[in-house]
């Protein structure tokens, strides 16, 4: 319900944190906020007896649904005019790589649309994410999962950098922090992201760790 009414109760444009001394997501009163004190380690660790590929697949679907919902709620504020470049903290620019290996510089909404469409196509491809019992996951499945989580991480990085003001005003920062923390710990548990991938949000990662 909160996501559905977000565009109605805000009359703002995308605001990045370029000119602020300290990004608001690093401020103590914001970084310490969560929606749950659940043991994230138990939520991310591979359950005993479960196939690792199955565990990765089910979590990939879940994270995609949550992050796609969150980014969709902010779509009215993430437009080609407010976000002409897909960027993250420190003005890190995210280029989209097309099917021919060409790097394309595009607006943030276009980048997110490319990313979500790419992930959706993977998740609905039975040759990649099989849903029938006894069907094996393909060779290269882990590499594809890594790519999915890189795209999801970049989507959250853009939200933190360019749309945290909107998130903060409607009180969704505890949800965002919890979602990001969960994703980060899952990626660490299963070696899905490289340090270079997460570097743009390292200051936030450090702040979240400091607050438990």
């Amino acid at each position: 319900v909160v996501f559905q009414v977000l565009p109605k109760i805000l009359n703002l444009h995308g605001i990045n944190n370029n000119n602020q001394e300290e990004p608001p997501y690093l401020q103590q009163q914001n970084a310490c906020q969560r929606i749950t004190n659940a043991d994230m380690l138990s939520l991310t660790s591979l359950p005993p007896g479960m196939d690792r590929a199955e565990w990765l697949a089910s979590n990939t679907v879940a994270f995609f649904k949550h992050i796609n919902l969150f980014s969709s709620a902010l779509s009215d504020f993430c437009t080609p005019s407010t976000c002409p470049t897909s960027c993250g903290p420190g003005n890190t620019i995210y280029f989209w790589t097309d099917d021919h290996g060409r790097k394309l510089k595009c607006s943030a909404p276009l980048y997110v649309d490319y990313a979500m469409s790419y992930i959706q196509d993977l998740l609905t491809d039975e040759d990649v994410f099989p849903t029938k019992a006894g069907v094996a996951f393909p060779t290269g499945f882990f590499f594809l999962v890594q790519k999915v989580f890189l795209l999801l991480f970049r989507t959250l990085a853009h939200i933190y950098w360019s749309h945290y003001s909107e998130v903060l005003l409607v009180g969704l920062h505890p949800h965002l922090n919890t979602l990001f923390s969960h994703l980060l710990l899952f990626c660490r548990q299963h070696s899905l992201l490289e340090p270079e991938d997460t570097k743009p949000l390292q200051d936030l990662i450090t702040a979240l760790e400091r607050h438990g």
Side-chain angles (χ1 to χ4, degrees):
V1 175
V2 174
F3 289 150
Q4 292 174 343
V5 301
L6 178 58
K8 298 179 182 179
I9 61 180
L10 284 176
N11 183 23
L12 299 170
H13 297 292
I15 305 170
N16 67 36
N17 304 293
N18 296 356
N19 299 318
Q20 301 189 35
E21 292 183 3
E22 180 183 52
Y25 56 77
L26 293 182
Q27 296 170 5
Q28 181 177 354
Q29 69 270 25
N30 298 328
C32 68
Q33 298 296 314
R34 307 283 196 285
I35 61 172
T36 178
N37 291 320
D39 180 9
M40 289 288 184
L41 187 60
S42 64
L43 293 177
T44 58
S45 299
L46 179 66
M50 185 169 189
D51 180 73
R52 183 166 182 257
E54 290 281 0
W55 183 239
L56 290 175
S58 62
N59 278 275
T60 301
V61 172
F63 277 115
F64 167 71
K65 289 181 177 179
H66 286 299
I67 294 174
N68 189 38
L69 177 61
F70 210 107
S71 64
S72 296
L74 298 169
S75 60
D76 282 4
F77 314 106
C78 187
T79 68
S81 59
T82 62
C83 304
T85 302
S86 182
C87 60
N91 286 325
T92 302
I93 297 177
Y94 296 130
F95 293 89
W96 181 257
T97 303
D98 66 14
D99 294 336
H100 302 289
R102 296 174 298 191
K103 290 187 175 182
L104 307 177
K105 186 177 182 180
C106 54
S107 67
L110 185 57
Y111 184 94
V112 172
D113 182 62
Y114 282 155
M116 296 301 131
S117 297
Y118 171 83
I119 297 171
Q120 181 68 50
D121 287 344
L122 278 184
L123 298 183
T124 55
D125 188 341
E126 284 286 334
D127 292 330
V128 181
F129 281 80
T131 58
K132 297 179 181 178
V135 178
F137 287 88
T139 301
F141 175 73
F142 182 73
F143 169 78
L144 292 173
V145 171
Q146 284 181 307
K147 184 173 182 179
V148 167
F149 276 90
L150 176 60
L151 295 175
L152 294 177
F153 179 91
R154 288 179 173 180
T155 300
L156 292 183
H158 176 71
I159 291 174
Y160 269 110
W161 183 243
S162 297
H163 301 291
Y164 195 76
S165 297
E166 293 93 335
V167 172
L168 195 61
L169 283 175
V170 293
L172 288 179
H173 50 300
H175 296 72
L176 182 58
N177 287 344
T178 303
L179 179 57
F180 179 75
S181 298
H182 188 188
L183 178 136
L184 184 68
L185 186 54
F186 185 80
C187 289
R188 283 182 174 178
Q189 284 278 324
H190 304 285
S191 303
L192 298 174
L193 292 175
E194 298 293 336
E196 188 66 26
D197 299 328
T198 59
K199 185 177 180 180
L201 277 178
Q202 185 56 52
D203 51 0
L204 173 62
I205 294 169
T206 301
L208 292 174
E209 289 175 339
R210 186 165 56 245
H211 295 292

